[in-house]
Amino acid sequence: GAGPSDASPDEGVVEDLPLIDEKAVEQLTQGLISHYLPDLQRSKSALQELTQNQVVLLETLEQEISKFKECNSILDIDALFSEAKHYHNKLVNIRNEMMMLHEKTSKLKVSGINI
């Protein structure tokens, strides 16, 4: 059979609640809002300021990163110029050797030795 433990826990609760006073609910809501709203608005403005500061910081970081990239480009160009100078010196040496060899072969031809 159905004993007292089979009864629903919510049974009889509705009858126990007093009638809800709409005006009291409105006043309690207004009181709650007026209590928490100023803090929430202050938090909101603080968060907005923080977000703006982060945007400024990000822009500054991007500018600094682009400066570093420019520096790296300058270093690359510098390395390229020094490499070009090195190869230019090699070419000058090769040209000098060729001129010397040409001079030697010309002297040998003058001496009557056919090459």
Side-chain angles (χ1 to χ4, degrees), residues 2 21 31 38 49 51 54 90 106:
D21 183 357
E49 188 179 341
T51 305
Q54 284 179 330
K90 275 189 163 189
S106 296

Side-chain angles (χ1 to χ4, degrees), residues 14-109:
V14 176
E15 291 85 16
D16 293 345
L17 285 176
L19 289 173
I20 297 169
D21 183 357
E22 293 293 329
K23 190 172 182 182
V25 170
E26 179 68 26
Q27 287 174 339
L28 286 170
T29 305
Q30 289 299 323
L32 194 65
I33 289 173
S34 67
H35 180 74
Y36 286 108
L37 195 59
D39 284 341
L40 289 172
Q41 285 173 331
R42 278 194 294 274
S43 297
K44 181 183 176 184
S45 67
L47 283 171
Q48 284 174 333
E49 188 179 341
L50 182 64
T51 305
Q52 287 171 344
N53 288 341
Q54 284 179 330
V55 167
V56 170
L57 184 61
L58 281 172
E59 287 172 355
T60 307
L61 278 174
E62 284 173 11
Q63 288 172 1
E64 292 301 313
I65 287 169
S66 68
K67 284 180 189 175
F68 278 115
K69 284 181 181 174
E70 284 174 24
C71 285
N72 282 340
S73 299
I74 289 168
L75 289 175
D76 289 346
I77 290 169
D78 197 33
L80 191 65
F81 274 119
S82 65
E83 197 175 341
K85 188 177 177 183
H86 171 72
Y87 284 114
H88 177 262
N89 288 338
K90 275 189 163 189
L91 281 171
V92 167
N93 289 338
I94 290 170
R95 191 185 76 190
N96 289 341
E97 279 184 44
M98 287 177 72
M99 285 172 62
M100 189 179 68
L101 287 172
H102 177 70
E103 207 174 290
K104 283 183 179 180
T105 54
S106 296
K107 284 180 183 175
L108 286 174
K109 280 182 183 176

